[in-house]
Amino acid sequence: MNQTYGMAGVSAVVLATALVGALGLRISRTTSDFYVASRTVAPRLNAFAVSGEYLSAASFLGIAGLLLAQGVDMLWFPIGYTAGFLVLLAFVAAPLRRSGAYTLPDFAEARLESRAVRRIAGVLVVGVGWLYLLPQLRGAGLTLRLLTGAPGWLGGLVVAVVVTAAVAAGGMRSITFVQAFQYWLKLTALLVPVVFLIAAWHTDRAPMPAWDERPVFHRSTEVRVDRPVNVTVREAVPVTATGSIDGHPLRGAVLTLTEGRHHIGAHTDLRFPRGAQVPLPDRAAASASLAPSGTEHGLYATYGLILATFLGTMGLPHVVVRFYTNPDGRAARRTTVIVLGLLGAFYLLMPLYGSLARLYAPDLLLTGDTDAAVLVLPQRLIGGVGGDLLGALVAGGACAAFLSTASGLTMSVAGVLAQDVLPALGLRHFRLAVVPAIAVPTAAGTVVGGLPVADAVGLAFAVSASSFCPLLILGIWWRGLTPPGAVAGLLLGGGSALTAVTTTITGTTRPGWSHTLLAWPAVWSVPVGFTAMILVSLATRHRVPAGTAATMARLHLPEGRV
């Protein structure tokens, strides 16, 4: 990718984001404006904003990367991301808006009249938010590294600084306009290039990718390996190498990588002929174990992915908080319907990018940069100034992806920290809470930066599905839920899922059933959350809050009839 064009594209997006945010800042005058935009955001604008913050780096970069690496099994990710809003529409959107709460902990306390439930919900909101922020910062680091060659941590730091300034200055009113603008920018950044990419693919006689076997180099390809890597070769592969292989220094040597494992040293240049099979690094097997097709227990992992993405959406703090900005429950439902259409249009593009990357960018499997597939395709297929311009547009869209989602997540996490951790002193302490809200995942990203972005988001969905899905479904639709029941479900369901995904991220488990159960916890942690809430609530019927009847009426009766 041409660095000059790419930096120009990213700089333009950052400048446009600042200008749009300044527009919102000019009309943000009250505390209610700052937290929930005074609950006056129209359904269409709110749907644009919800879609803008929901389509994160995992959607913009990660899905195409997983399709490149794992094939069509990964289409469960965009299906689940979209279908989750159907559950949200049917069971949660309108009642949650009618609750009048600002955050998920607010809802928990209002429904169950318990500070203990509020505190536990607050801890889980922060945990989910930080898990979700990790891949946004990784995507930022990857994009900046491709554009400038800077270390990966620098991109995350830049995003952290920009997001801190935007959220602390403008709040929800400003962020709404920014995220609405960024949805259309992201859609344009993918839609315009894909037209030219498909035309170039058709000119190349429209080859079809092979999904049932190892990918091959469609063209003679030169690969630069910057970090030492161990690769596994299944069939002998001819290669021209400069650097070191298996400890032997080479300079333009022509050799054959025989079947088995080989060690490729840092700063080694490899040229593979057309039709050669791509040697896969050993770390690809490790990351594949977070994908249904990459584990020996694939059916279980697939169900884990489906449950996490279908049920996790309703508990994502940065998504839920946006429904509090609607005027009423009916507007919240209309917002959700529009979001379904907007997300569907966006996700139709991802299989195209993944398929083209399988053909024209299989070398990313060797270097481990599969998340960069969307960024490199314009130069691979089109080249020249046209490829540079389209690449700059895609880079700008990627920048919008992690800026918009990181802004929403930071807003929601900072809101919880300001209300439940720092003394409640209004906007002053909210602005102070923004700093730890983004600083902690920025620091953690330097330790766990190797996890593919879509996988990291999938883990956040699993925690959300195991904790907030039972709390919202039972809290809204079952008057028998008690505070001890909610505490038990949040601790056993959400706490166990959070422990499982933390263990997965740190990589302390060995391959096998134990790793699979921890990497895809939703299959067991969601039932645990529901079961614990129901059984403990039945055992503590006398603890049903006194105001439950009035609260349930408020949740389910249309506004003005309570």
Side-chain angles (χ1 to χ4, degrees):
M1 180 184 295
N2 185 291
Q3 295 184 356
T4 302
Y5 284 85
M7 286 303 298
V10 170
S11 300
V13 169
V14 172
L15 179 60
T17 298
L19 293 175
V20 174
L23 171 64
L25 179 60
R26 292 182 62 187
I27 58 177
S28 182
R29 297 184 174 88
T30 67
T31 301
S32 183
D33 276 339
F34 201 88
Y35 281 108
V36 289
S38 293
R39 306 188 193 274
T40 58
V41 182
R44 187 175 300 177
L45 176 61
N46 209 22
F48 296 158
V50 170
S51 302
E53 71 174 352
Y54 187 66
L55 295 172
S56 64
S59 296
F60 198 94
L61 300 176
I63 291 176
L66 285 179
L67 285 169
L68 161 63
Q70 302 299 329
V72 294
D73 286 353
M74 295 298 95
L75 288 176
W76 277 116
F77 272 98
I79 291 172
Y81 289 158
T82 307
F85 276 90
L86 283 174
V87 183
L88 187 67
L89 172 65
F91 297 107
V92 175
L96 190 62
R97 168 59 189 88
R98 295 189 189 111
S99 72
Y102 283 94
T103 64
L104 282 169
D106 284 344
F107 169 81
E109 182 179 23
R111 170 64 179 84
L112 295 164
E113 303 174 14
S114 168
R115 292 290 298 178
V117 177
R118 179 191 180 96
R119 292 189 190 98
I120 297 171
V123 170
L124 289 169
V125 164
V126 173
V128 170
W130 282 346
L131 273 174
Y132 215 126
L133 274 165
L134 281 174
Q136 316 315 315
L137 301 172
R138 168 171 161 75
L142 174 65
T143 303
L144 192 64
R145 179 164 61 84
L146 287 175
L147 292 178
T148 67
W153 58 265
L154 183 59
L157 181 61
V158 170
V159 168
V161 172
V162 173
V163 167
T164 299
V167 174
M172 184 63 74
R173 178 74 75 179
S174 177
I175 294 300
T176 296
F177 290 104
V178 169
Q179 291 171 339
F181 159 73
Q182 287 173 336
Y183 168 77
W184 291 106
L185 175 61
K186 284 182 277 192
L187 184 63
T188 302
L190 290 180
L191 185 59
V192 172
V194 84
V195 173
F196 293 94
L197 294 176
I198 291 176
W201 167 76
H202 191 269
T203 302
D204 195 29
R205 299 183 180 180
M208 299 302 296
W211 297 107
D212 297 330
E213 55 192 47
R214 282 203 172 192
V216 299
F217 292 102
H218 180 67
R219 299 170 175 172
S220 177
T221 304
E222 184 169 343
V223 182
R224 171 77 171 181
V225 178
D226 292 323
R227 299 178 296 274
V229 61
N230 294 316
V231 300
T232 300
V233 176
R234 288 187 178 177
E235 295 180 3
V237 177
V239 64
T240 303
T242 298
S244 69
I245 296 180
D246 295 329
H248 303 296
L250 304 169
R251 187 174 183 84
V254 179
L255 68 154
T256 299
L257 295 178
T258 57
E259 183 178 351
R261 296 184 65 197
H262 298 273
H263 178 78
I264 301 176
H267 311 299
T268 298
D269 294 314
L270 306 171
R271 176 169 289 279
F272 295 91
R274 177 180 179 179
Q277 207 174 67
V278 180
L280 295 183
D282 293 345
R283 66 173 177 269
S287 65
S289 62
L290 290 178
S293 62
T295 175
E296 56 185 329
H297 311 294
L299 183 60
Y300 170 89
T302 298
Y303 282 123
L305 170 60
I306 292 172
L307 276 175
T309 53
F310 278 39
L311 301 180
T313 300
M314 71 177 68
L316 296 178
H318 63 303
V319 171
V320 169
V321 74
R322 292 231 57 95
F323 288 97
Y324 301 138
T325 66
N326 280 123
D328 50 42
R330 182 183 179 187
R333 282 202 179 100
R334 290 182 60 194
T335 294
T336 311
V337 172
I338 299 171
V339 167
L340 283 167
L342 296 174
L343 296 183
F346 181 91
Y347 283 128
L348 284 175
L349 300 174
M350 303 321 300
L352 299 176
Y353 277 93
S355 299
L356 291 172
R358 187 85 172 186
L359 286 168
Y360 298 102
D363 56 288
L364 298 178
L365 293 168
L366 177 56
T367 62
D369 289 329
T370 53
D371 290 328
V374 172
L375 298 170
V376 304
L377 280 174
Q379 191 60 44
R380 297 288 179 89
L381 270 79
I382 298 169
V385 176
D388 290 336
L389 290 173
L390 293 175
L393 180 59
V394 173
C399 178
F402 42 72
L403 278 177
S404 59
T405 304
S407 298
L409 287 165
T410 303
M411 180 84 191
S412 59
V413 172
V416 172
L417 292 177
Q419 293 184 43
D420 298 321
V421 178
L422 297 174
L425 296 179
L427 296 184
R428 176 188 170 191
H429 273 216
F430 174 86
R431 291 188 169 103
L432 291 176
V434 170
V435 177
I438 189 70
V440 170
T442 302
T446 62
V447 179
V448 297
L451 189 66
V453 293
D455 284 336
V457 166
L459 297 176
F461 270 76
V463 177
S464 174
S466 305
S467 53
F468 295 121
C469 173
L471 177 67
L472 289 170
I473 294 294
L474 296 177
I476 289 172
W477 296 99
W478 185 41
R479 65 180 62 245
L481 182 65
T482 65
V487 168
L490 290 173
L491 289 178
L492 293 177
S496 61
L498 186 60
T499 302
V501 302
T502 302
T503 304
T504 300
I505 289 176
T506 57
T508 56
T509 57
R510 296 180 179 180
W513 263 114
S514 61
H515 174 80
T516 303
L517 289 170
L518 294 175
W520 301 98
V523 173
W524 54 267
S525 58
V526 171
V528 164
F530 272 103
T531 302
M533 283 194 188
I534 293 171
L535 292 181
V536 175
S537 293
L538 290 175
T540 57
R541 291 187 180 93
H542 62 285
R543 296 288 302 277
V544 172
T548 296
T551 302
M552 296 296 284
R554 181 177 185 180
L555 294 178
H556 294 284
L557 291 178
E559 286 81 358
R561 298 187 183 182
V562 181

PDB file of all heavy atoms in Angstrom, residues 485-508:
ATOM      1  N   GLY A 485     -31.244 -14.186  42.818  1.00  0.00           N
ATOM      2  CA  GLY A 485     -31.208 -14.931  41.567  1.00  0.00           C
ATOM      3  C   GLY A 485     -30.366 -14.231  40.515  1.00  0.00           C
ATOM      4  O   GLY A 485     -29.571 -14.869  39.806  1.00  0.00           O
ATOM      5  N   ALA A 486     -30.530 -12.910  40.400  1.00  0.00           N
ATOM      6  CA  ALA A 486     -29.743 -12.150  39.427  1.00  0.00           C
ATOM      7  C   ALA A 486     -28.258 -12.202  39.763  1.00  0.00           C
ATOM      8  O   ALA A 486     -27.414 -12.368  38.877  1.00  0.00           O
ATOM      9  CB  ALA A 486     -30.231 -10.699  39.381  1.00  0.00           C
ATOM     10  N   VAL A 487     -27.939 -12.086  41.059  1.00  0.00           N
ATOM     11  CA  VAL A 487     -26.533 -12.154  41.472  1.00  0.00           C
ATOM     12  C   VAL A 487     -25.938 -13.516  41.119  1.00  0.00           C
ATOM     13  O   VAL A 487     -24.820 -13.613  40.574  1.00  0.00           O
ATOM     14  CB  VAL A 487     -26.401 -11.884  42.986  1.00  0.00           C
ATOM     15  CG1 VAL A 487     -25.002 -12.233  43.469  1.00  0.00           C
ATOM     16  CG2 VAL A 487     -26.714 -10.428  43.291  1.00  0.00           C
ATOM     17  N   ALA A 488     -26.676 -14.581  41.406  1.00  0.00           N
ATOM     18  CA  ALA A 488     -26.187 -15.923  41.110  1.00  0.00           C
ATOM     19  C   ALA A 488     -25.965 -16.113  39.619  1.00  0.00           C
ATOM     20  O   ALA A 488     -24.935 -16.669  39.190  1.00  0.00           O
ATOM     21  CB  ALA A 488     -27.175 -16.967  41.637  1.00  0.00           C
ATOM     22  N   GLY A 489     -26.909 -15.663  38.792  1.00  0.00           N
ATOM     23  CA  GLY A 489     -26.768 -15.830  37.346  1.00  0.00           C
ATOM     24  C   GLY A 489     -25.617 -15.029  36.774  1.00  0.00           C
ATOM     25  O   GLY A 489     -24.871 -15.518  35.921  1.00  0.00           O
ATOM     26  N   LEU A 490     -25.463 -13.786  37.250  1.00  0.00           N
ATOM     27  CA  LEU A 490     -24.376 -12.953  36.740  1.00  0.00           C
ATOM     28  C   LEU A 490     -23.012 -13.516  37.133  1.00  0.00           C
ATOM     29  O   LEU A 490     -22.074 -13.530  36.322  1.00  0.00           O
ATOM     30  CB  LEU A 490     -24.521 -11.523  37.268  1.00  0.00           C
ATOM     31  CG  LEU A 490     -25.686 -10.706  36.704  1.00  0.00           C
ATOM     32  CD1 LEU A 490     -25.811  -9.375  37.438  1.00  0.00           C
ATOM     33  CD2 LEU A 490     -25.514 -10.459  35.214  1.00  0.00           C
ATOM     34  N   LEU A 491     -22.906 -14.002  38.375  1.00  0.00           N
ATOM     35  CA  LEU A 491     -21.623 -14.528  38.828  1.00  0.00           C
ATOM     36  C   LEU A 491     -21.290 -15.861  38.176  1.00  0.00           C
ATOM     37  O   LEU A 491     -20.164 -16.077  37.718  1.00  0.00           O
ATOM     38  CB  LEU A 491     -21.633 -14.681  40.345  1.00  0.00           C
ATOM     39  CG  LEU A 491     -21.601 -13.385  41.172  1.00  0.00           C
ATOM     40  CD1 LEU A 491     -21.668 -13.699  42.658  1.00  0.00           C
ATOM     41  CD2 LEU A 491     -20.369 -12.557  40.849  1.00  0.00           C
ATOM     42  N   LEU A 492     -22.279 -16.771  38.115  1.00  0.00           N
ATOM     43  CA  LEU A 492     -22.005 -18.097  37.575  1.00  0.00           C
ATOM     44  C   LEU A 492     -21.935 -18.090  36.055  1.00  0.00           C
ATOM     45  O   LEU A 492     -21.057 -18.722  35.455  1.00  0.00           O
ATOM     46  CB  LEU A 492     -23.073 -19.084  38.059  1.00  0.00           C
ATOM     47  CG  LEU A 492     -23.058 -19.382  39.562  1.00  0.00           C
ATOM     48  CD1 LEU A 492     -24.204 -20.312  39.935  1.00  0.00           C
ATOM     49  CD2 LEU A 492     -21.733 -19.988  39.974  1.00  0.00           C
ATOM     50  N   GLY A 493     -22.869 -17.396  35.409  1.00  0.00           N
ATOM     51  CA  GLY A 493     -22.862 -17.348  33.949  1.00  0.00           C
ATOM     52  C   GLY A 493     -21.822 -16.387  33.404  1.00  0.00           C
ATOM     53  O   GLY A 493     -20.885 -16.782  32.708  1.00  0.00           O
ATOM     54  N   GLY A 494     -21.975 -15.117  33.753  1.00  0.00           N
ATOM     55  CA  GLY A 494     -21.043 -14.110  33.248  1.00  0.00           C
ATOM     56  C   GLY A 494     -19.647 -14.262  33.814  1.00  0.00           C
ATOM     57  O   GLY A 494     -18.654 -14.116  33.088  1.00  0.00           O
ATOM     58  N   GLY A 495     -19.550 -14.555  35.121  1.00  0.00           N
ATOM     59  CA  GLY A 495     -18.233 -14.696  35.723  1.00  0.00           C
ATOM     60  C   GLY A 495     -17.444 -15.867  35.159  1.00  0.00           C
ATOM     61  O   GLY A 495     -16.244 -15.752  34.891  1.00  0.00           O
ATOM     62  N   SER A 496     -18.125 -17.002  34.961  1.00  0.00           N
ATOM     63  CA  SER A 496     -17.429 -18.166  34.402  1.00  0.00           C
ATOM     64  C   SER A 496     -17.022 -17.928  32.956  1.00  0.00           C
ATOM     65  O   SER A 496     -15.931 -18.330  32.531  1.00  0.00           O
ATOM     66  CB  SER A 496     -18.311 -19.411  34.507  1.00  0.00           C
ATOM     67  OG  SER A 496     -19.518 -19.248  33.780  1.00  0.00           O
ATOM     68  N   ALA A 497     -17.883 -17.247  32.176  1.00  0.00           N
ATOM     69  CA  ALA A 497     -17.528 -16.939  30.785  1.00  0.00           C
ATOM     70  C   ALA A 497     -16.351 -15.969  30.729  1.00  0.00           C
ATOM     71  O   ALA A 497     -15.441 -16.121  29.893  1.00  0.00           O
ATOM     72  CB  ALA A 497     -18.730 -16.354  30.050  1.00  0.00           C
ATOM     73  N   LEU A 498     -16.340 -14.978  31.613  1.00  0.00           N
ATOM     74  CA  LEU A 498     -15.237 -14.019  31.637  1.00  0.00           C
ATOM     75  C   LEU A 498     -13.927 -14.711  32.012  1.00  0.00           C
ATOM     76  O   LEU A 498     -12.874 -14.448  31.421  1.00  0.00           O
ATOM     77  CB  LEU A 498     -15.549 -12.899  32.629  1.00  0.00           C
ATOM     78  CG  LEU A 498     -14.568 -11.731  32.678  1.00  0.00           C
ATOM     79  CD1 LEU A 498     -14.471 -11.038  31.329  1.00  0.00           C
ATOM     80  CD2 LEU A 498     -14.976 -10.725  33.757  1.00  0.00           C
ATOM     81  N   THR A 499     -13.997 -15.632  32.971  1.00  0.00           N
ATOM     82  CA  THR A 499     -12.805 -16.396  33.342  1.00  0.00           C
ATOM     83  C   THR A 499     -12.318 -17.257  32.179  1.00  0.00           C
ATOM     84  O   THR A 499     -11.118 -17.347  31.904  1.00  0.00           O
ATOM     85  CB  THR A 499     -13.107 -17.288  34.554  1.00  0.00           C
ATOM     86  OG1 THR A 499     -13.544 -16.468  35.647  1.00  0.00           O
ATOM     87  CG2 THR A 499     -11.873 -18.077  34.966  1.00  0.00           C
ATOM     88  N   ALA A 500     -13.279 -17.875  31.466  1.00  0.00           N
ATOM     89  CA  ALA A 500     -12.921 -18.750  30.344  1.00  0.00           C
ATOM     90  C   ALA A 500     -12.226 -17.980  29.229  1.00  0.00           C
ATOM     91  O   ALA A 500     -11.199 -18.416  28.697  1.00  0.00           O
ATOM     92  CB  ALA A 500     -14.172 -19.447  29.811  1.00  0.00           C
ATOM     93  N   VAL A 501     -12.771 -16.826  28.866  1.00  0.00           N
ATOM     94  CA  VAL A 501     -12.183 -16.091  27.740  1.00  0.00           C
ATOM     95  C   VAL A 501     -10.851 -15.452  28.140  1.00  0.00           C
ATOM     96  O   VAL A 501      -9.952 -15.319  27.309  1.00  0.00           O
ATOM     97  CB  VAL A 501     -13.156 -15.031  27.184  1.00  0.00           C
ATOM     98  CG1 VAL A 501     -14.450 -15.681  26.731  1.00  0.00           C
ATOM     99  CG2 VAL A 501     -13.450 -13.944  28.206  1.00  0.00           C
ATOM    100  N   THR A 502     -10.718 -15.066  29.420  1.00  0.00           N
ATOM    101  CA  THR A 502      -9.429 -14.546  29.877  1.00  0.00           C
ATOM    102  C   THR A 502      -8.353 -15.615  29.783  1.00  0.00           C
ATOM    103  O   THR A 502      -7.225 -15.364  29.344  1.00  0.00           O
ATOM    104  CB  THR A 502      -9.542 -14.037  31.320  1.00  0.00           C
ATOM    105  OG1 THR A 502     -10.555 -13.028  31.399  1.00  0.00           O
ATOM    106  CG2 THR A 502      -8.219 -13.452  31.791  1.00  0.00           C
ATOM    107  N   THR A 503      -8.716 -16.835  30.173  1.00  0.00           N
ATOM    108  CA  THR A 503      -7.780 -17.953  30.057  1.00  0.00           C
ATOM    109  C   THR A 503      -7.428 -18.218  28.602  1.00  0.00           C
ATOM    110  O   THR A 503      -6.270 -18.496  28.261  1.00  0.00           O
ATOM    111  CB  THR A 503      -8.401 -19.219  30.680  1.00  0.00           C
ATOM    112  OG1 THR A 503      -8.770 -18.948  32.039  1.00  0.00           O
ATOM    113  CG2 THR A 503      -7.415 -20.376  30.645  1.00  0.00           C
ATOM    114  N   THR A 504      -8.419 -18.103  27.712  1.00  0.00           N
ATOM    115  CA  THR A 504      -8.173 -18.324  26.284  1.00  0.00           C
ATOM    116  C   THR A 504      -7.217 -17.283  25.719  1.00  0.00           C
ATOM    117  O   THR A 504      -6.279 -17.599  24.976  1.00  0.00           O
ATOM    118  CB  THR A 504      -9.502 -18.289  25.512  1.00  0.00           C
ATOM    119  OG1 THR A 504     -10.365 -19.311  26.014  1.00  0.00           O
ATOM    120  CG2 THR A 504      -9.265 -18.506  24.025  1.00  0.00           C
ATOM    121  N   ILE A 505      -7.441 -16.021  26.071  1.00  0.00           N
ATOM    122  CA  ILE A 505      -6.613 -14.939  25.541  1.00  0.00           C
ATOM    123  C   ILE A 505      -5.165 -15.072  26.009  1.00  0.00           C
ATOM    124  O   ILE A 505      -4.223 -14.832  25.244  1.00  0.00           O
ATOM    125  CB  ILE A 505      -7.200 -13.578  25.951  1.00  0.00           C
ATOM    126  CG1 ILE A 505      -8.504 -13.320  25.188  1.00  0.00           C
ATOM    127  CG2 ILE A 505      -6.215 -12.449  25.678  1.00  0.00           C
ATOM    128  CD1 ILE A 505      -9.214 -12.052  25.596  1.00  0.00           C
ATOM    129  N   THR A 506      -4.981 -15.478  27.259  1.00  0.00           N
ATOM    130  CA  THR A 506      -3.616 -15.608  27.771  1.00  0.00           C
ATOM    131  C   THR A 506      -2.921 -16.860  27.269  1.00  0.00           C
ATOM    132  O   THR A 506      -1.705 -17.009  27.440  1.00  0.00           O
ATOM    133  CB  THR A 506      -3.633 -15.627  29.305  1.00  0.00           C
ATOM    134  OG1 THR A 506      -4.488 -16.695  29.767  1.00  0.00           O
ATOM    135  CG2 THR A 506      -4.147 -14.307  29.854  1.00  0.00           C
ATOM    136  N   GLY A 507      -3.690 -17.782  26.644  1.00  0.00           N
ATOM    137  CA  GLY A 507      -3.090 -18.960  26.017  1.00  0.00           C
ATOM    138  C   GLY A 507      -2.493 -19.957  26.994  1.00  0.00           C
ATOM    139  O   GLY A 507      -1.475 -20.582  26.711  1.00  0.00           O
ATOM    140  N   THR A 508      -3.154 -20.147  28.134  1.00  0.00           N
ATOM    141  CA  THR A 508      -2.600 -21.033  29.157  1.00  0.00           C
ATOM    142  C   THR A 508      -3.166 -22.449  29.100  1.00  0.00           C
ATOM    143  O   THR A 508      -2.852 -23.275  29.964  1.00  0.00           O
ATOM    144  CB  THR A 508      -2.870 -20.449  30.558  1.00  0.00           C
ATOM    145  OG1 THR A 508      -4.292 -20.226  30.709  1.00  0.00           O
ATOM    146  CG2 THR A 508      -2.133 -19.138  30.732  1.00  0.00           C
TER     147      THR A 508
END
